[in-house]
């Protein structure tokens, strides 16, 4: 029976596990959602124990579905929602508090206070990030400040910090390994991306003990080996950890400077590879670490949209416009007349290029005859228009025009959205045959480390395109759509 790579995709709303073959193709997969907790308005939490329990079960389920033998697994690669923060006991692996999710805004006021103290440039110059509640550092501080007894244990190294990759690695290795990779570390607000190390000055400002922090390595690396995992033999190498968006960049094999991709998931994330050049954005993008050829660390510019595909989930679950998200394409396609309905989905504030933590969502341009179909179309447009603003900022920063945009993620299955994205960009949009490139990147990185895949050049020969979308919107219409969108966003902004 053939050997294979196990890929774990620990997302924001669910876990999916995969088994990949030598060609990078999917043999089998298994999926399960997990519960979202909203203890207060703007707060979002997960139960880390549920995430681990489902991950363990789903690994075996994917192996079973593929009719594979556990001992034939060559390696495990993990990709994860990035800034989500877990503090857990070193001795037991049990979390001391729920995971605070990247979408959570509970530390917004504290971030504002740091800005008022003039500290944002200190963080930006060292981490490449803006001062926002999105990132892990202020979430770590919140748990240390608000959960009794945790700070004292963390200072002694008895309570450890991790993003979800670190937490899953710790559990997969039965507590033997406390590590992360550069891509996840670069999202914490306390990691110096030039020195590639935890920054003592930033740790002091946020009052975070270094004893609680994991070791950081290249994404393609032997991080540890399985021990005590139900149904798996001990000793399977965990050979990659990578943040989900950097995983997607590598899964699209955008390993050279000037290449870019946009992932359409719960949020949207556009990454532009700048190679060995660390470039601080002048257009409110962030600078972060990613993977170049063979998994070595490189720099990239990133634009983050907090609410992408989640706006469709909102229409499905909260407004009950449809029972299945895929029906949004049919509703949007059915609208023939033009209108000025604009949906700005700032449910968790606005990310790049605005970084307004206090902005809230709005539907503008409603009239007496506005329909569900029109609102659905406006919601889909919002995903593409937010992405347009990221491309615009990126082109202004780099001084070069993107020739095309590679896309991936679940929402790319919506052909109406992808065509509108091409139209509003005025650029070709290219969708691969496997849109789950996030976990594919993790599998590539794990396989390269073990010699399962020979090289990036060889992998590029196997990459297949599903569909290309060519723009057909005229310039006047494009300019009007963008103008109406920017006017709507301006109306909800709360920061200068």
């Amino acid at each position: 029976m053939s050997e294979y790579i196990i890929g774990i995709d620990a997302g924001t709303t669910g876990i999916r596990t995969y088994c990949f073959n030598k060609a990078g193709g999917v043999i089998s997969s298994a999926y399960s959602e997990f519960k979202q907790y909203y203890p207060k308005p703007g707060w979002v939490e997960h139960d880390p124990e549920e995430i681990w329990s489902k991950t363990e079960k789903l690994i075996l389920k994917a192996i079973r579905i593929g009719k594979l033998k556990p001992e034939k697994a060559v390696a495990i690669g993990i990709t994860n929602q990035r800034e989500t923060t877990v503090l857990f006991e070193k001795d037991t692996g049990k979390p001391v508090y729920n995971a605070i999710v990247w979408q959570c805004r509970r530390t917004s006021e504290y971030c504002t206070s740091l800005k008022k103290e003039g500290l944002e440039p200190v963080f930006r110059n060292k981490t490449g990030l803006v001062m926002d509640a999105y990132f892990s550092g202020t979430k770590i501080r919140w748990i240390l400040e608000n959960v009794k007894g945790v700070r004292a244990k963390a200072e002694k190294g008895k309570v450890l910090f991790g993003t979800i990759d670190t937490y899953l690695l710790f559990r997969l290795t039965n507590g033997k390994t406390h590590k992360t990779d550069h891509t996840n570390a670069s999202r914490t607000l306390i990691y110096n991306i030039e020195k590639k190390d935890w920054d003592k000055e930033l740790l002091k400002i946020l009052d975070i003990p270094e004893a609680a922090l994991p070791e950081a390595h290249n994404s393609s690396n032997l991080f540890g080996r399985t021990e005590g995992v139900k149904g798996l033999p001990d000793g399977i190498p965990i050979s990659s950890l990578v943040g989900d968006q950097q995983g997607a960049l590598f899964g699209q094999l955008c390993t050279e400077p000037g290449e870019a991709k946009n992932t359409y998931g719960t949020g949207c994330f556009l990454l532009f590879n700048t190679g060995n050049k660390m470039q601080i954005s002048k257009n409110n993008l962030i600078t972060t670490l990613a993977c170049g050829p063979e998994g070595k660390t490189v720099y990239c510019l990133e634009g983050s949209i907090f609410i992408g595909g989640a706006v469709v989930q909102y229409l499905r679950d909260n407004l009950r416009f449809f029972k299945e998200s895929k029906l949004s394409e049919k509703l949007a396609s059915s609208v023939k007349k033009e209108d000025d309905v604009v949906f700005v989905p700032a449910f968790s504030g606005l990310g790049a290029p605005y970084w307004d933590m206090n902005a809230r969502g709005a539907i503008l341009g409603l009239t007496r005859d506005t329909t569900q179909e029109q609102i659905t179309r406006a919601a889909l447009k919002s995903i593409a228009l937010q992405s347009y603003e990221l491309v615009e900022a990126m082109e202004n920063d780099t001084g070069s025009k993107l020739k095309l945009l590679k896309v991936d993620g679940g929402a790319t299955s919506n052909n109406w959205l992808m065509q509108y994205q091409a139209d509003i960009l005025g650029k070709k949009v290219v969708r691969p045959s496997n849109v789950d490139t996030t976990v594919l990147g993790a599998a590539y990185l794990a396989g390269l480390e073990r010699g399962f895949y020979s090289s990036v050049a060889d992998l590029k020969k196997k990459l297949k395109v599903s569909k290309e979308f060519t723009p057909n919107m005229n310039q006047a219409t494009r300019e009007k759509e963008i103008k109406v969108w920017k006017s709507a966003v301006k109306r909800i902004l709360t920061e200068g």
Side-chain angles (χ1 to χ4, degrees), residues 33-45:
E33 291 188 353
F34 51 79
K35 189 173 180 179
Q36 309 290 305
Y37 295 88
Y38 307 100
K40 292 183 181 181
W43 291 28
V44 191
E45 296 178 359

Side-chain angles (χ1 to χ4, degrees), residues 122-365:
V122 179
F123 283 89
R124 188 155 178 73
N125 291 333
K126 291 187 173 192
T127 69
L129 308 177
V130 297
M131 179 53 64
D132 193 271
Y134 172 35
F135 303 107
S136 309
T138 59
K139 303 179 195 300
I140 300 170
R141 181 185 179 277
W142 189 93
I143 296 175
L144 293 172
E145 292 290 311
N146 289 277
V147 182
K148 188 176 179 180
V150 168
R151 176 174 291 283
K153 290 182 179 179
E155 288 172 350
K156 296 176 182 177
K158 293 183 178 181
V159 165
L160 307 176
F161 155 70
T163 38
I164 295 297
D165 62 306
T166 299
Y167 180 69
L168 290 179
L169 175 68
F170 192 86
R171 299 301 293 263
L172 284 166
T173 60
N174 199 25
K176 297 292 191 298
T177 308
H178 182 221
K179 296 178 182 178
T180 189
D181 82 306
H182 295 313
T183 69
N184 279 292
S186 72
R187 314 297 296 190
T188 59
L189 209 59
I190 51 176
Y191 196 72
N192 190 308
I193 61 172
E194 187 173 12
K195 295 180 179 178
K196 297 182 180 65
D197 200 2
W198 303 108
D199 192 276
K200 289 181 170 27
E201 181 184 8
L202 302 182
L203 291 173
K204 185 176 181 180
I205 292 171
L206 296 184
D207 198 13
I208 295 172
E210 194 168 358
L213 304 178
E215 292 178 19
H217 300 270
N218 283 335
S219 300
S220 186
N221 178 72
L222 178 56
F223 287 93
R225 296 179 182 272
T226 56
E227 183 179 308
V229 180
K230 292 177 183 176
L232 285 184
D234 289 351
I236 297 174
I238 296 101
S239 295
S240 78
L241 302 178
V242 63
D244 51 10
Q245 302 314 316
Q246 290 94 334
L249 188 72
F250 199 82
Q252 289 269 31
L253 298 175
C254 296
T255 57
E256 300 299 327
E259 295 182 317
K261 69 86 203 177
N262 195 24
T263 298
Y264 300 73
T266 302
C268 290
F269 302 88
L270 181 67
L271 272 69
F272 183 99
N273 187 330
T274 60
N276 294 321
K277 183 180 180 182
M278 178 180 165
Q279 182 174 349
I280 300 299
S281 172
K282 296 179 181 178
N283 292 278
N284 287 327
L285 300 176
I286 60 178
T287 307
T288 194
L289 297 178
C291 305
E294 317 308 327
K296 297 295 187 289
T297 303
V298 296
Y299 294 97
C300 67
L301 290 172
E302 176 176 334
S304 307
I305 296 167
F306 297 151
I307 301 296
V311 71
V312 179
Q313 292 176 324
Y314 173 78
L315 296 182
R316 182 193 68 191
D317 300 339
N318 295 61
L319 301 189
R320 302 183 188 279
F321 278 14
F322 35 78
K323 290 185 178 180
E324 296 180 81
S325 294
K326 65 182 180 181
L327 295 175
S328 62
E329 181 176 348
K330 183 178 179 181
L331 265 65
S333 300
S334 71
V335 182
K336 302 305 178 187
K337 65 178 181 178
E338 293 303 314
D339 60 54
D340 289 334
V341 178
V342 182
F343 195 148
V344 186
F347 304 150
S348 304
L350 285 173
Y354 299 102
W355 295 109
D356 188 335
M357 294 181 286
N358 299 310
R360 289 296 175 262
I363 305 175
L364 306 171

